[in-house]
């Protein structure tokens, strides 16, 4: 191990130590907080993330499948996972609070006792071990349309069966858990923005949601299953308003990834070109963070292969996103990050990418972020 590498490792460990030290203070603050301080992440008028009345800086992990494991196996207990998270000094986790596929989500309609037993176990375990939760409420945009027999484009229709069931589900979940100190914020979905405005550049009905009939998807998709930015914008406004009607305080985010490099051209021209300018990125982010959504989410990864692509300039990318965050007065939450396409090309290059993102997060003072993903029961 050369001197430079040791220095990088030392700096990273120092940053982690500082983060865990600060977080230990937050736990004390939460326990000592008076009852008039709302639970979870609260965003102030300047777009600063606060917890227990103080600005918060910390990293989470994505431990997304604890609920699904319990749903699949009623004997599963998420407690040991949250104990490991807590023992590691990790303040909060992002996870799924719904079915990944239609057949899993149908348990909400046909076996509510099992469904809520699983969710209750997750929330109780998080409360027991003082771990915060950012639940994703409708992970895949195609799940609810598939359940009610509508096309995916109905997510933008306020009168559709899709939106009616989504509102009912979100209302019931938020009502059930809004008083839990474990809930730190609400995440509507996952990467809806990567599915929008693709019809014109997708010959042969490519880039449509899955057709796994055995999981409850339809056997075929049609052009009506393409979605647009305006449809997602409409869905976000409706669902975020439903959340805010019940929970007046906690952070609400959409769960989107970093905008596609040509998001504006796809939306306006149906083309991959020209690529985004800074203003294009800002405009795309605004469209996916309509009020009362009060936080910006991105998922940050490396693309290409080591032979064809250099390590991205994450310092500049994250710097621009933080500038947009300040201009919009909505905090940046890097919900996922990691080596991405470089995984499998060697541990050294994977570590280089990971550390580049990590150091750029620290250097740009991103308040909340977290790597993707923990495997094998918090491995």
């Amino acid at each position: 191990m050369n001197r430079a590498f040791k220095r990088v490792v030392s700096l990273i460990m120092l940053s982690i130590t500082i983060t865990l030290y600060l977080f230990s203070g937050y736990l004390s603050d939460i326990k000592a907080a008076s009852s008039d301080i709302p639970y979870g992440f609260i965003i102030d008028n300047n777009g600063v993330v606060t917890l227990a009345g103080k600005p918060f800086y910390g990293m989470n992990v994505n431990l997304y499948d604890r609920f699904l494991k319990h749903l699949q196996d009623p004997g599963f207990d998420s407690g040991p996972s949250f104990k490991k998270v807590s023992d590691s000094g990790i303040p909060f986790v992002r996870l799924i609070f719904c079915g990944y596929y239609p057949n899993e989500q149908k348990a909400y309609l046909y076996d509510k006792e099992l469904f809520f037993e699983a969710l209750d176990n997750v929330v109780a375990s998080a409360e027991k071990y003082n771990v915060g939760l950012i639940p994703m409420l409708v992970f895949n945009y195609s799940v609810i349309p598939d359940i009610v027999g509508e096309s995916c484009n109905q997510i933008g229709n306020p009168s559709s069966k899709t939106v009616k069931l989504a509102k009912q589900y979100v209302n019931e979940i938020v009502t059930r858990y809004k008083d839990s100190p474990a809930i730190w914020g609400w995440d509507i979905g996952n990467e809806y923005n990567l599915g929008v405005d693709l019809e014109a550049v997708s010959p042969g009905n490519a880039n449509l949601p899955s057709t796994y009939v055995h999981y409850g998807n339809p056997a075929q998709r049609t052009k009506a299953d393409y979605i647009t930015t305006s449809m997602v914008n409409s869905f976000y406004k409706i669902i975020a308003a439903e959340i805010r009607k019940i929970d007046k305080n906690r952070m609400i985010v959409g769960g989107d990834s970093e905008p596609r490099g040509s998001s504006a051209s796809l939306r306006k021209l149906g083309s991959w070109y020209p690529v985004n300018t800074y203003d294009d990125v800002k405009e795309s982010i605004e469209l996916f963070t309509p009020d009362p959504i009060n936080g910006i989410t991105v998922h940050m990864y490396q693309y290409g292969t080591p032979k064809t692509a250099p390590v991205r300039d994450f310092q500049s990318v994250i710097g621009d996103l933080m500038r947009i965050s300040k201009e919009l007065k909505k905090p940046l939450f890097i919900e996922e990050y990691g080596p991405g396409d470089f995984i499998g090309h060697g541990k050294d290059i994977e570590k280089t990418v990971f550390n580049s993102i990590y150091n750029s997060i620290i250097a740009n003072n991103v308040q909340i972020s977290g790597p993707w993903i923990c495997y094998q029961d918090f491995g």
Side-chain angles (χ1 to χ4, degrees):
M1 184 182 295
N2 61 41
R3 187 177 303 169
F5 184 73
K6 286 182 178 179
R7 185 171 182 271
V8 170
V9 172
S10 297
L11 287 171
I12 291 172
M13 294 308 298
L14 177 60
S15 297
I16 293 173
T17 300
I18 292 172
T19 299
L20 299 185
Y21 172 77
L22 290 174
F23 175 62
S24 67
Y26 283 119
L27 283 182
S28 299
D29 289 341
I30 293 169
K31 292 174 181 177
S34 62
S35 59
D36 60 342
I37 297 179
Y39 293 125
F41 286 146
I42 310 301
I43 312 303
D44 72 13
N45 292 333
N46 293 313
V48 175
V49 181
T50 67
L51 183 72
K54 297 181 180 180
F56 176 89
Y57 291 79
M59 289 190 182
N60 72 310
V61 291
N62 284 272
L63 192 66
Y64 93 105
D65 64 349
R66 299 301 88 178
F67 161 66
L68 291 178
K69 279 188 171 291
H70 192 124
L71 191 63
Q72 295 157 1
D73 175 10
F76 177 79
D77 179 14
S78 59
S81 301
F82 287 109
K83 184 178 187 304
K84 290 179 182 179
V85 169
S86 181
D87 290 347
S88 299
I90 296 169
F92 66 107
V93 301
R94 176 173 173 259
L95 74 173
I96 197 169
F97 258 34
C98 58
Y100 186 91
Y101 290 111
N103 285 350
E104 294 167 331
Q105 185 63 20
K106 284 179 182 177
Y108 164 72
L109 297 174
Y110 304 128
D111 195 347
K112 277 197 175 184
E113 183 177 354
L114 174 65
F115 196 90
F116 282 109
E117 177 187 319
L119 281 177
D120 288 348
N121 176 270
V122 170
V123 174
S125 297
E127 289 178 354
K128 179 178 180 180
Y129 294 107
N130 296 305
V131 175
L133 303 177
I134 306 290
M136 293 174 275
L137 298 170
V138 187
F139 189 88
N140 288 322
Y141 66 80
S142 60
V143 164
I144 293 182
D146 288 353
I147 289 174
V148 299
E150 291 184 331
S151 300
C152 294
N153 62 9
Q154 292 305 298
I155 67 169
N157 178 2
S159 301
S160 67
K161 291 185 288 185
T162 293
V163 171
K164 180 180 179 181
L165 180 56
K167 286 178 64 178
Q168 173 189 318
Y169 180 69
V170 168
N171 184 297
E172 195 163 349
I173 295 296
V174 177
T175 299
R176 190 179 185 95
Y177 300 116
K178 68 180 177 64
D179 295 323
S180 169
I183 304 296
W184 283 17
W186 301 105
D187 199 343
I188 294 175
N190 183 71
E191 299 185 349
Y192 286 19
N193 69 324
L194 296 185
V196 302
D197 307 320
L198 295 176
E199 181 179 357
V201 294
S202 302
N205 282 359
N207 296 309
L208 286 172
S210 60
T211 54
Y212 301 129
V213 177
H214 55 293
Y215 290 140
N217 300 135
Q220 291 183 322
R221 297 287 184 185
T222 71
K223 290 185 180 299
D225 289 307
Y226 284 109
I227 61 172
T228 65
T229 295
S230 62
M231 293 173 191
V232 175
N233 177 275
S234 173
F235 185 77
Y236 281 179
K237 287 178 180 176
I238 293 166
I239 298 304
E242 194 69 20
I243 295 170
R244 188 57 79 221
K245 182 173 71 177
I246 304 160
D247 187 334
K248 305 298 184 184
N249 300 300
R250 288 184 181 89
M251 177 184 75
I252 303 173
V253 294
D256 291 299
S257 183
E258 186 182 2
R260 288 188 181 275
S262 51
S263 59
S265 293
L266 287 168
R267 184 173 67 253
K268 299 173 182 178
L269 305 173
S271 171
W272 292 112
Y273 299 99
V275 298
N276 287 338
T277 64
Y278 173 89
D279 288 338
D280 290 334
V281 174
K282 181 179 177 180
E283 182 182 30
S284 293
I285 286 175
E286 284 186 279
L287 288 168
F288 284 90
T289 55
D291 295 334
I293 290 177
N294 57 356
I296 297 165
T297 63
V298 298
H299 301 168
M300 187 67 52
Y301 292 105
Q302 174 68 36
Y303 305 117
T305 70
K307 290 184 179 180
T308 61
V311 174
R312 297 177 67 193
D313 181 4
F314 291 106
Q315 178 70 27
S316 296
V317 172
I318 294 175
D320 283 347
L321 291 169
M322 280 297 289
R323 179 182 162 193
I324 291 170
S325 166
K326 288 181 171 61
E327 290 171 354
L328 299 181
K329 294 187 177 181
K330 295 185 177 185
L332 177 65
F333 179 11
I334 301 181
E335 291 185 316
E336 302 176 10
Y337 71 85
D341 291 348
F342 277 21
I343 290 176
H345 290 273
K347 290 185 178 180
D348 288 343
I349 189 64
E350 291 179 23
K351 288 179 180 178
T352 296
V353 173
F354 185 92
N355 290 339
S356 179
I357 302 173
Y358 175 91
N359 291 331
S360 298
I361 288 170
I362 300 299
N364 283 287
N365 293 315
V366 179
Q367 286 193 257
I368 47 178
S369 58
W372 183 269
I373 181 177
C374 285
Y375 285 110
Q376 298 175 353
D377 195 28
F378 194 62

